[in-house]
Amino acid sequence: MLKEKLKNNRNFQKITLIYLLLLISNIVLVIGLIYYYSKVNIKIEIETIDNLFTILATILILAFISSRLPRLRERGSSLYDIGYLVIITVVGLMTSYFNSNVDETMIFGPFLEMFKVLSVIILFILLATKLRPFKEMLHGKFTKKNQIICLIVFTALGLFASNYHTYIGDTPANVRCMVVMISGLFGGPFIGIPVGLISGAYRFTLGGVTAVPCAISTVISGIIGSLIFMWNDKKFPKTLSAILLMFLFTGFEMLMIVIMSPPDISFPFIHTVYPIMLFASVIGIILVSIVIKEERQKSNPSLSPEEKKILKLENKLAKTNEKVEKLESKIEDLKK
């Protein structure tokens, strides 16, 4: 029991370290952007700030609702369904909001197109989770066959995400890193790392000024997702943790572009792409997290607090019995 607690504490510290490093990278990015804007004398319009706050507000609303859905299910399926309807309504309002501003704001005009791109990618991911190998892996059955099928599916999605994008001017924006991150969080290193390597290599072959940083970020997203999966007891993280991870990683990806690309290209690129990539990646991982939670709830119905206590006591009793049996066998060996 003590060893388990120590192991969990170490794993928690490792996960915290990853979040801390990503947070630092985001702080560095913000400082760099402020410096660049002050140097080139770019003024951020009030409308742009208003749109940014709208994005953050939407993300917070969706995160709050999605974190409460499992509790709603315990009280009744009707409340659970209403929760889903609220999420769909919020996403719909968000889409309408940006659609109405397409002609007014050049920076936020492509949000509707990005949402369409995200919808197609998420649809494929959701369909994949209905396959038997995905369902079995969600419940801890990591057979070679299941892992190979999931690897093939996520690799195909990673390659597809590199090609299916929306253009902001001449710059393509996509959710490739989100797909690779989900593959690592879902299946661990056997899936996340190969998907990251293949998708990253493919992105590099497409060329462009940002080919190297985008390819490296893709590989890193698979590694980080895989590490968190391993340190989180081989489970997909909680919704809020997944949201924070994707939020911070998008900033890290932008920082990689700043470091590895000329400033006159990287900063204008981030100025237009960052809000859209952030919006799509975070909304995408929220929806995937909800579906994964729902799939687990179907086969693992919620227990009452009393039942949970009984189950814990039964587990402790089983472990104690095992220890007693081992001690008895040692005593028998000593007697002989």
Side-chain angles (χ1 to χ4, degrees):
M1 193 71 179
L2 183 60
K3 285 183 180 179
E4 272 186 36
K5 284 185 179 179
L6 289 171
K7 185 181 176 182
N8 290 336
N9 286 335
R10 285 171 191 161
N11 290 340
F12 177 76
Q13 289 170 1
K14 290 174 184 176
I15 293 172
T16 304
L17 180 61
I18 287 179
Y19 279 83
L20 183 61
L21 292 172
L22 291 175
L23 176 62
I24 291 169
S25 69
N26 279 256
I27 293 169
V28 172
L29 175 68
V30 171
I31 293 171
L33 287 172
I34 292 170
Y35 175 74
Y36 174 75
Y37 289 148
S38 63
K39 191 177 179 181
V40 298
N41 198 28
I42 292 179
K43 293 181 179 179
I44 301 175
E45 298 176 0
I46 294 175
E47 187 177 2
T48 302
I49 296 171
D50 180 55
N51 285 334
L52 185 59
F53 276 116
T54 304
I55 295 171
L56 292 173
T58 303
I59 290 170
L60 289 172
I61 291 168
L62 290 174
F64 178 80
I65 294 171
S66 62
S67 67
R68 294 296 184 272
L69 281 178
R71 296 182 185 179
L72 290 176
R73 187 162 195 166
E74 292 175 13
R75 298 179 185 179
S77 59
S78 58
L79 287 173
Y80 188 73
D81 294 336
I82 289 169
Y84 264 111
L85 288 173
V86 171
I87 284 184
I88 292 168
T89 303
V90 171
V91 173
L93 289 172
M94 190 70 181
T95 306
S96 300
Y97 174 82
F98 283 113
N99 190 25
S100 64
N101 284 281
V102 165
D103 298 326
E104 298 175 12
T105 311
M106 290 187 67
I107 293 176
F108 290 92
F111 268 87
L112 180 62
E113 287 300 318
M114 192 62 187
F115 184 75
K116 290 177 183 176
V117 170
L118 174 66
S119 299
V120 173
I121 300 293
I122 292 297
L123 177 62
F124 282 120
I125 293 175
L126 300 187
L127 288 173
T129 58
K130 300 301 178 184
L131 297 174
R132 186 176 176 180
F134 279 78
K135 289 183 177 181
E136 289 182 350
M137 284 185 65
L138 275 174
H139 302 111
K141 194 176 180 181
F142 296 94
T143 63
K144 285 185 179 180
K145 181 183 175 182
N146 289 347
Q147 289 178 318
I148 289 169
I149 291 172
C150 290
L151 172 60
I152 293 169
V153 171
F154 274 116
T155 300
L157 286 170
L159 299 177
F160 178 69
S162 295
N163 289 290
Y164 190 60
H165 45 245
T166 182
Y167 277 95
I168 306 168
D170 297 325
T171 306
N174 55 56
V175 288
R176 180 184 53 258
C177 281
M178 182 203 74
V179 172
V180 176
M181 179 70 77
I182 289 170
S183 72
L185 293 174
F186 179 83
F190 186 84
I191 296 172
I193 293 176
V195 171
L197 288 169
I198 295 167
S199 301
Y202 180 71
R203 171 61 188 92
F204 182 75
T205 62
L206 296 176
V209 181
T210 62
V212 174
C214 287
I216 292 173
S217 297
T218 302
V219 175
I220 292 174
S221 66
I223 294 170
I224 288 178
S226 300
L227 288 174
I228 290 178
F229 170 85
M230 294 298 293
W231 295 335
N232 192 46
D233 199 24
K234 295 185 177 181
K235 293 178 182 176
F236 197 93
K238 293 180 180 178
T239 305
L240 291 176
S241 299
I243 292 168
L244 181 59
L245 177 64
M246 203 67 248
F247 184 93
L248 294 175
F249 187 83
T250 305
F252 170 78
E253 185 183 0
M254 297 299 109
L255 181 63
M256 294 289 288
I257 293 170
V258 170
I259 293 170
M260 298 184 179
S261 306
D264 59 327
I265 294 174
S266 61
F267 281 106
F269 175 89
I270 290 170
H271 183 73
T272 54
V273 172
Y274 184 29
I276 295 174
M277 300 272 278
L278 184 65
F279 168 77
S281 297
V282 173
I283 295 296
I285 206 156
I286 287 172
L287 296 174
V288 171
S289 297
I290 291 170
V291 171
I292 287 174
K293 274 190 175 182
E294 181 190 9
E295 203 61 49
R296 282 178 178 161
Q297 288 284 335
K298 284 179 182 177
S299 57
N300 295 316
S302 302
L303 300 174
S304 66
E306 291 77 15
E307 287 173 327
K308 287 179 180 178
K309 287 179 181 179
I310 292 169
L311 187 61
K312 283 183 180 180
L313 289 171
E314 286 177 349
N315 290 333
K316 285 182 180 180
L317 182 60
K319 288 178 182 179
T320 304
N321 288 335
E322 285 179 9
K323 289 178 181 178
V324 170
E325 285 176 5
K326 286 180 181 179
L327 287 171
E328 286 176 349
S329 63
K330 284 182 180 180
I331 291 169
E332 288 293 330
D333 291 337
L334 289 170
K335 284 180 178 179
K336 290 177 181 178

